Amino acid sequence: MDRDGQHAGGLIYPGPATMLRALGRDTKLNVPENLAVASTLPGRSTARCIKNGVFAAQLGALNQFLRHLPESPGGGLKLIITGGAAGELLPLLDFQYIHDPWLVFRGMLAKGIRQSPDMV
């Protein structure tokens, strides 16, 4: 967000769980259920290679995005990160950030948006 509170752009990309489900659905690999004990180092088993590959993809995508953010005058741009896997990835980021896992829901409450029966 910029100094005026305006959204300055962002990314929505599949998280680790979605990537793991896609690999399980679209390949014949025995895919682990989560990224527990994942790292960015090369694995020595199929399960470890999958975990580490998905983890490295997540971290790489986020760091790549952050490298291409425009410099804001006076450093007014704030990076706010939300999402299910953020807590595992954030300690490895090369950039400063604000972690707010409830941002979307608090925004909905602030705008008075309520879930209707036809929202899925």
Side-chain angles (χ1 to χ4, degrees):
M1 299 188 76
D2 66 16
R3 286 178 197 245
D4 299 322
Q6 297 298 308
H7 187 268
L11 293 178
I12 297 173
Y13 60 92
T18 302
M19 288 184 162
L20 291 171
R21 279 193 307 273
L23 279 170
R25 182 189 65 232
D26 298 339
T27 70
K28 295 182 190 255
L29 296 172
N30 185 11
V31 176
E33 291 183 19
N34 58 53
L35 294 183
V37 197
S39 79
T40 57
L41 299 174
R44 296 177 66 85
S45 69
T46 301
R48 177 64 59 203
C49 289
I50 291 170
K51 283 183 177 190
N52 293 2
V54 168
F55 189 72
Q58 295 287 307
L59 190 59
L62 194 46
N63 272 321
Q64 182 68 11
F65 168 71
L66 295 173
R67 283 185 188 90
H68 288 90
L69 285 178
E71 288 292 323
S72 62
L77 195 64
K78 289 186 180 173
L79 176 66
I80 304 172
I81 300 175
T82 186
E88 297 148 22
L89 298 170
L90 295 179
L92 300 172
L93 287 180
D94 299 332
F95 301 88
Q96 291 186 349
Y97 57 84
I98 297 168
H99 179 213
D100 187 346
W102 302 105
L103 177 68
V104 172
F105 300 110
R106 286 191 290 105
M108 290 172 66
L109 285 173
K111 291 287 187 181
I113 298 171
R114 302 275 186 246
Q115 185 172 356
S116 66
D118 57 321
M119 292 177 70
V120 180

